[in-house]
Amino acid sequence: MPSRDKEGSIPIQDPRLARERSRPAPDVTVPSAPGRTRLFLALGAMQLLSSGTHLIAKGALLVLSPLSLALIRFVVSSIVLFVYLGVTKRRVQRRDWPAFLMLGFLAVTANQGFFLFGLAQTTPSHASLLYALTPLVVLLLARGLLREEGLVAKLAGILVAFAGVAVI
């Protein structure tokens, strides 16, 4: 009988990872039943929040400028982050602050700024189609910059997912 970790999950090895990277495969943990339920609830909540983002943002742009809306989103997300850090008693190490600030700039200022200024010029459905292209852009960057392999299977998955978005 396989050994279980402290949460009751069974660690497994994924042999596909070993072939792709030519090194031992890392342990992959299968969540226990309560962990799976929590995982699926979190994924469902994320899907509901993500699917409404374009519509809610377009509605908000009817009364706020893109810059004002981006600022509000930044302030609210910063408050949530710092509350989370306080509740979990986690601290950002001093050496991590430059990366933390750069990611904040890219994720909030650049990402949300471009998203909101672009959304102000188009429809939520066009914005969601463009957003659905994100995995393709990431795949192409990973292939070009990191020489990542397994392109065909990943591209097929992305195309099936994009087709689903286009149909909906």
Side-chain angles (χ1 to χ4, degrees):
M1 180 163 187
S3 63
R4 295 181 178 268
D5 65 10
K6 63 184 177 185
E7 296 177 359
S9 301
I10 302 171
I12 60 172
Q13 292 270 329
D14 186 345
R16 293 171 297 167
L17 296 175
R19 281 195 306 270
E20 284 186 18
R21 297 193 180 105
S22 302
R23 57 181 172 212
D27 285 337
V28 177
T29 303
V30 177
S32 60
R36 272 193 303 263
T37 301
R38 193 170 57 211
L39 172 67
F40 287 128
L41 287 173
L43 287 170
M46 194 225 51
Q47 186 62 36
L48 288 173
L49 290 171
S50 295
S51 64
T53 297
H54 303 92
L55 296 171
I56 293 168
K58 186 66 172 185
L61 286 171
L62 296 174
V63 294
L64 295 169
S65 71
L67 194 56
S68 298
L69 185 54
L71 178 62
I72 290 168
R73 291 181 78 162
F74 170 73
V75 169
V76 169
S77 63
S78 296
I79 291 169
V80 169
L81 174 64
F82 284 114
V83 166
Y84 172 78
L85 289 174
V87 167
T88 61
K89 307 287 190 234
R90 293 185 179 189
R91 299 286 174 253
V92 177
Q93 300 294 320
R94 185 178 303 270
R95 70 177 189 275
D96 293 331
W97 273 104
F100 193 69
L101 293 172
M102 178 58 84
L103 289 172
F105 170 76
L106 291 174
V108 177
T109 308
N111 179 306
Q112 288 301 303
F114 290 140
F115 168 70
L116 293 169
F117 277 104
L119 185 58
Q121 305 300 315
T122 190
T123 65
S125 57
H126 287 146
S128 65
L129 283 172
L130 289 171
Y131 186 72
L133 289 172
T134 301
L136 179 62
V137 172
V138 170
L139 176 67
L140 293 174
L141 287 172
R143 176 69 174 156
L145 299 175
L146 303 175
R147 306 290 183 239
E148 189 168 307
E149 295 182 12
L151 185 69
V152 175
K154 293 172 186 173
L155 185 58
I158 289 170
L159 291 175
V160 168
F162 186 76
V165 170
V167 168
I168 290 175

